[in-house]
Amino acid sequence: MEDNLDNVLTAVGPRLRTLRRQRETTLADLSATTGISVSTLSRLESGQRRPTLELLLLLSQAYGVQIDELIGAPPTGDPRVHLRPVTHNGMTMVPLTRRAGGVQAYKLIIPVSPQRPPDQKTHEGYEWIYVLNGRLRLLLGDKDLVITPGEAAEFDTRIPHWFGTADPTPVEVLSLFGRQGERVHLRARSVHD
């Protein structure tokens, strides 16, 4: 571990020198910007001085880069979500969240509904749905609604409900579901805030 740390710190000096030269900045200019003495900057670049967090913060601000770039940190990995879809009664559910509890996010792909009558269900929770593609038929208690792309609906899942396709085409929906009845809270700010 100590060898790895030494290798990382040794590589900082050449990176700092390369970055300064790319920016066509002198040590004196960089000193004036950061408040770090010219001699300290020179020793950092030559590897005669180990960088501290304080020095790296000042230099990253002066250059407008992340500290990761100064120390050559490895990439953090693949940011994509790789969760497995589940198919139930023909509907495909793609989980978009990994954490247990709280609000869960899903992408639902609902195939054309069979010709049998809808069977409304109830359960604990609160759901918010947003239609991406297709037309969604939502039965909510005694209401029969059609939700089109760009429209959203939210409801307490203790109310008898069912949803499926409104047309003979599949529907794609984003769903946020809270088992403990958590509601979606949207906050919008004006451009003047």
Side-chain angles (χ1 to χ4, degrees):
M1 178 116 170
E2 185 68 31
D3 288 342
N4 189 32
L5 179 62
D6 285 337
N7 291 339
V8 168
L9 292 175
T10 301
V12 171
R15 276 194 196 86
L16 291 173
R17 179 178 289 121
T18 300
L19 193 55
R20 182 177 56 80
R21 288 179 177 165
Q22 286 173 346
R23 304 287 168 95
E24 299 178 352
T25 302
T26 65
L27 287 172
D29 291 338
L30 188 57
S31 175
T33 302
T34 62
I36 302 170
S37 71
V38 171
S39 64
T40 299
L41 290 170
S42 178
R43 290 193 335 247
L44 284 170
E45 287 185 4
S46 67
Q48 294 174 355
R49 176 163 180 177
R50 289 177 74 144
T52 63
L53 180 58
E54 180 182 0
L55 294 172
L56 289 172
L57 283 170
L58 291 169
L59 291 166
S60 72
Q61 289 173 346
Y63 288 129
V65 298
Q66 298 290 322
I67 289 179
D68 291 0
E69 191 174 328
L70 296 180
I71 63 171
T76 56
D78 187 348
R80 295 174 293 179
V81 177
H82 296 284
L83 300 175
R84 299 184 189 275
V86 175
T87 301
H88 181 67
N89 293 333
M91 179 172 59
T92 302
M93 297 174 47
V94 181
L96 301 175
T97 50
R98 289 185 211 192
R99 64 187 169 89
V103 176
Q104 300 293 308
Y106 301 92
K107 179 178 181 183
L108 307 176
I109 303 164
I110 306 167
V112 176
S113 302
Q115 294 302 318
R116 63 180 182 259
D119 181 23
Q120 291 185 324
K121 303 280 186 188
T122 62
H123 51 88
E124 288 296 315
Y126 204 85
E127 188 155 8
W128 180 88
I129 53 177
Y130 176 84
V131 176
L132 296 167
N133 291 304
R135 291 168 28 104
L136 181 78
R137 181 178 178 204
L138 171 63
L139 297 180
L140 186 60
D142 59 354
K143 295 180 179 136
D144 191 344
L145 307 164
V146 174
I147 314 221
T148 60
E151 292 184 320
E154 63 178 320
F155 56 93
D156 186 325
T157 57
R158 293 174 296 183
I159 298 170
H161 63 280
W162 172 92
F163 51 84
T165 60
D167 301 324
T169 58
V171 180
E172 292 181 39
V173 174
L174 288 180
S175 168
L176 298 177
F177 175 72
R179 289 193 190 284
Q180 284 76 43
E182 299 94 343
R183 296 185 69 167
V184 174
H185 299 284
L186 301 177
R187 290 182 176 82
R189 293 185 191 182
S190 72
V191 292
H192 303 291
D193 284 349

